[in-house]
Amino acid sequence: MAHEFRMRREVTFAETDMAGILHFSNYFRYMEEVEHAFFRSLGHSVHGDTKTGNFGWARREATCSYARPLRYQDEVELHLRVREKRSKAIVYETRFLLDGVEVARGSVAAVCIAKDEDGNLRAATMPPEIDAIIQVAPTE
Amino acid sequence: MAHEFRMRREVTFAETDMAGILHFSNYFRYMEEVEHAFFRSLGHSVHGDTKTGNFGWARREATCSYARPLRYQDEVELHLRVREKRSKAIVYETRFLLDGVEVARGSVAAVCIAKDEDGNLRAATMPPEIDAIIQVAPTE
Amino acid sequence: MAHEFRMRREVTFAETDMAGILHFSNYFRYMEEVEHAFFRSLGHSVHGDTKTGNFGWARREATCSYARPLRYQDEVELHLRVREKRSKAIVYETRFLLDGVEVARGSVAAVCIAKDEDGNLRAATMPPEIDAIIQVAPTE
Amino acid sequence: MAHEFRMRREVTFAETDMAGILHFSNYFRYMEEVEHAFFRSLGHSVHGDTKTGNFGWARREATCSYARPLRYQDEVELHLRVREKRSKAIVYETRFLLDGVEVARGSVAAVCIAKDEDGNLRAATMPPEIDAIIQVAPTE
């Protein structure tokens, strides 16, 4: 059972803006990257086939609060934790750490979706093999 | 005194992802665009000089909730409203409307920053000419 | 018969980088935007259905040369011209003009693609209704 | 003396487009990333101070040709080689390899720039410590 994941990510030049810092929208891309890496670490893809059919994860809500800026070539540690888990949704919280200091913190609520008989995407119960290996992280 | 702004924005091809929809991080770029257009509509730039010196607006917090996806060539109406105003900060709420239906809603808390005597960026009281023309939107 | 198209595009904050200018990769996004707007001006979508089936345009080659930088809020004029046309491909050239002065110039070679019987994307002769309305621009 | 550099880069979800492939503009970001990693491998930053003052590298020209698409989670090998070197400029060629097969190839011409006495950026002779460690790659 997994409830957290850590990865390092370096700020690239193209991700900065004219204020000289990582553009605030890119923190959401970093949060998606660590979420996907978490899934791969479990042997799954976020957009994959399972025994129960095609599924994916839609974003229902995303938030980020910024304490200190990140700059070009900063190597930030992304620390993802599973904060909530329901039958059709997972809420992740990701802390952004620079040299051990938290510089930002965000969350993403992801809803499991699958194609229904008419080919439309609908919220769906997550596949049992995913459900079986992800759990809520203990309170820190 | 201004408290809201509306603009239209078309979803471009490069902003979509392999799920065929506007990537969730790009909603934050749209919110920044309408905020900047709001400022320009008032005769100011978000990163400008004023009689009281250089200033800008740092992001303190950003959120977005997604109800329905947006797709390539959708022309979305962005409706920004000033939700809070303090001496050093403004909170904006932006509704995303497609054919009059709200498909997403987000917020950005922007803190006024200025360079202090040592050249460091610090939270600062917003310039009086900005303060004089922006007010909180009435409750809908 | 159409052979050129012009549109205006304003540089957004998120498109700049820490050097304070429009990031060089974003010129390619602008070139795609004007190409798509050109198609729409003709009553077609670049990714549409026609009487002859699904088709799209893949990028075979892209180039850009940069003479002067573009900055936040610059309103650049994009001037697209059809430079070559073959049965399966169109080469566009786009000039970037700021206050009438050329600041960059690029090209995109787009190859018409369609799904074959096995569902694979292959280079294909462009639909006749597209072929009928696009022509090479006269030499300036 | 260095003349080439290799790194691996995984295609992220946000970099794909609705055609399900890496958007063509992002290849230019990858080329910049490998160029910057090449510099760091030499103990320098592309935007750094040297004994001879502030300098940077502006893009004069960029090209890319695309043979096969790249997809989400593809791990592409970027192989940068120095193709030309002049007193004020370096031309890099980067090959994109997937499982050893070339899927794209591009080039970037970077011009060394420095601030003159009036604070304006101008093309400049590259710092001698940079000039001393970079050389043109042998023909393959």
Side-chain angles (χ1 to χ4, degrees):
Chain A
M1 296 288 281
H3 64 262
E4 67 175 347
F5 189 75
R6 292 169 193 266
M7 65 175 269
R8 301 184 80 80
R9 173 69 153 77
E10 192 177 295
V11 176
T12 68
F13 189 82
E15 294 170 340
T16 62
D17 60 33
M18 61 185 272
I21 61 178
L22 180 62
H23 191 261
F24 81 109
S25 66
N26 289 325
Y27 289 71
F28 295 93
R29 300 189 176 198
Y30 284 32
M31 283 193 269
E32 186 172 67
E33 288 183 29
V34 68
E35 174 192 348
H36 289 195
F38 171 61
F39 258 71
R40 280 200 301 280
S41 75
L42 302 175
H44 288 278
S45 175
V46 286
H47 296 274
D49 287 76
T50 73
K51 282 168 277 183
T52 50
N54 273 304
F55 72 102
W57 297 89
R59 273 79 254 275
R60 180 62 52 89
E61 190 167 23
T63 71
C64 193
S65 60
Y66 310 90
R68 299 186 192 179
L70 286 168
R71 297 177 194 283
Y72 173 56
Q73 291 188 355
D74 278 347
E75 191 176 289
V76 61
E77 183 184 347
L78 305 173
H79 182 193
L80 172 143
R81 298 171 77 246
V82 177
R83 208 171 55 185
E84 291 181 45
K85 186 184 150 193
R86 294 189 293 274
S87 63
K88 298 181 179 178
I90 299 176
V91 179
Y92 302 98
E93 180 178 78
T94 297
R95 296 171 65 211
F96 296 72
L97 301 160
L98 187 63
D99 299 327
V101 176
E102 183 176 308
V103 295
R105 183 186 292 222
S107 68
V108 170
V111 176
C112 190
I113 52 171
K115 283 190 180 167
D116 66 15
E117 293 172 351
D118 298 327
N120 297 315
L121 291 172
R122 293 195 184 285
T125 302
M126 73 180 76
E129 62 269 37
I130 301 292
D131 189 34
I133 53 176
I134 293 179
Q135 65 182 359
V136 174
T139 308
E140 277 189 333
Chain B
M1 296 288 281
H3 63 262
E4 67 175 348
F5 189 74
R6 292 170 193 266
M7 64 175 270
R8 300 184 80 82
R9 174 68 153 78
E10 193 178 294
V11 176
T12 69
F13 189 83
E15 293 170 340
T16 62
D17 59 34
M18 61 185 274
I21 60 178
L22 179 62
H23 191 263
F24 82 109
S25 66
N26 289 325
Y27 289 71
F28 294 93
R29 299 189 176 199
Y30 284 32
M31 284 193 270
E32 185 171 68
E33 289 183 28
V34 68
E35 173 191 349
H36 290 194
F38 171 61
F39 258 70
R40 281 200 300 280
S41 77
L42 303 176
H44 288 279
S45 174
V46 286
H47 296 274
D49 287 77
T50 72
K51 282 167 278 182
T52 49
N54 273 304
F55 72 101
W57 296 90
R59 273 79 253 277
R60 179 62 52 87
E61 189 167 23
T63 73
C64 193
S65 60
Y66 310 90
R68 299 186 192 180
L70 286 168
R71 297 178 194 283
Y72 173 54
Q73 290 188 357
D74 278 346
E75 191 177 289
V76 62
E77 183 184 347
L78 306 173
H79 182 192
L80 171 144
R81 298 170 78 246
V82 177
R83 208 171 55 186
E84 292 181 45
K85 185 184 150 194
R86 294 189 293 276
S87 63
K88 298 182 179 178
I90 299 176
V91 179
Y92 301 98
E93 180 178 78
T94 297
R95 296 171 64 212
F96 295 71
L97 302 160
L98 187 63
D99 299 327
V101 177
E102 183 175 308
V103 295
R105 184 187 291 224
S107 68
V108 171
V111 176
C112 191
I113 50 171
K115 284 191 180 166
D116 66 14
E117 293 173 352
D118 297 327
N120 297 315
L121 290 171
R122 295 196 182 283
T125 302
M126 73 181 76
E129 63 270 36
I130 301 292
D131 189 33
I133 53 175
I134 293 179
Q135 65 183 357
V136 173
T139 308
E140 278 190 333
Chain C
M1 296 288 281
H3 64 262
E4 68 175 347
F5 189 75
R6 293 170 192 266
M7 65 176 269
R8 301 184 79 81
R9 173 70 153 78
E10 192 178 294
V11 176
T12 68
F13 189 82
E15 293 170 339
T16 62
D17 60 33
M18 62 184 272
I21 60 178
L22 180 62
H23 190 262
F24 81 109
S25 66
N26 289 325
Y27 289 71
F28 294 93
R29 300 188 176 199
Y30 284 32
M31 283 193 269
E32 186 172 67
E33 288 182 30
V34 69
E35 174 191 348
H36 289 194
F38 171 61
F39 258 70
R40 281 200 300 280
S41 76
L42 303 175
H44 289 278
S45 175
V46 285
H47 296 274
D49 287 76
T50 73
K51 283 168 278 183
T52 50
N54 272 304
F55 73 101
W57 297 89
R59 272 80 254 275
R60 181 60 54 87
E61 189 166 23
T63 72
C64 193
S65 60
Y66 310 89
R68 298 186 192 180
L70 286 168
R71 297 178 194 282
Y72 173 55
Q73 291 188 357
D74 278 347
E75 191 177 288
V76 61
E77 183 184 347
L78 305 173
H79 182 193
L80 171 144
R81 298 170 78 246
V82 177
R83 207 170 58 184
E84 291 181 45
K85 186 183 151 195
R86 295 188 292 274
S87 63
K88 299 180 179 180
I90 300 177
V91 179
Y92 302 97
E93 180 179 78
T94 297
R95 296 170 64 211
F96 295 71
L97 301 160
L98 186 64
D99 300 326
V101 176
E102 184 176 309
V103 294
R105 184 186 292 223
S107 67
V108 171
V111 177
C112 192
I113 52 171
K115 283 191 180 167
D116 66 14
E117 293 171 352
D118 298 326
N120 297 314
L121 291 172
R122 293 196 183 285
T125 303
M126 72 181 76
E129 62 270 36
I130 301 291
D131 189 34
I133 54 176
I134 293 179
Q135 66 182 357
V136 174
T139 308
E140 280 189 333
Chain D
M1 296 288 282
H3 64 262
E4 68 176 347
F5 189 76
R6 293 170 192 266
M7 65 176 269
R8 300 184 80 81
R9 173 67 154 81
E10 192 178 294
V11 176
T12 68
F13 189 83
E15 292 170 340
T16 63
D17 60 34
M18 61 185 271
I21 60 178
L22 179 63
H23 191 262
F24 81 110
S25 65
N26 289 325
Y27 289 71
F28 295 93
R29 299 189 177 199
Y30 284 32
M31 283 193 270
E32 186 172 67
E33 289 182 28
V34 69
E35 174 191 348
H36 289 194
F38 171 61
F39 258 70
R40 280 200 300 280
S41 76
L42 302 176
H44 288 278
S45 174
V46 285
H47 296 275
D49 286 78
T50 72
K51 281 168 279 183
T52 49
N54 272 304
F55 72 101
W57 296 89
R59 272 80 253 275
R60 181 60 54 87
E61 190 167 22
T63 72
C64 192
S65 60
Y66 310 90
R68 299 186 191 180
L70 286 168
R71 297 178 195 283
Y72 173 55
Q73 290 188 355
D74 278 347
E75 191 176 289
V76 62
E77 183 183 348
L78 306 173
H79 183 192
L80 171 144
R81 298 171 78 247
V82 177
R83 207 171 57 185
E84 290 182 47
K85 185 183 151 196
R86 294 189 294 274
S87 63
K88 299 181 178 179
I90 299 176
V91 179
Y92 302 98
E93 180 178 77
T94 297
R95 296 171 65 211
F96 295 72
L97 301 159
L98 187 63
D99 299 326
V101 176
E102 183 175 309
V103 295
R105 185 186 292 223
S107 67
V108 171
V111 177
C112 191
I113 51 171
K115 283 192 180 166
D116 66 14
E117 293 172 353
D118 298 326
N120 297 314
L121 290 171
R122 295 196 182 284
T125 303
M126 72 181 76
E129 62 269 37
I130 301 292
D131 189 35
I133 53 176
I134 294 179
Q135 65 182 357
V136 173
T139 308
E140 279 189 331

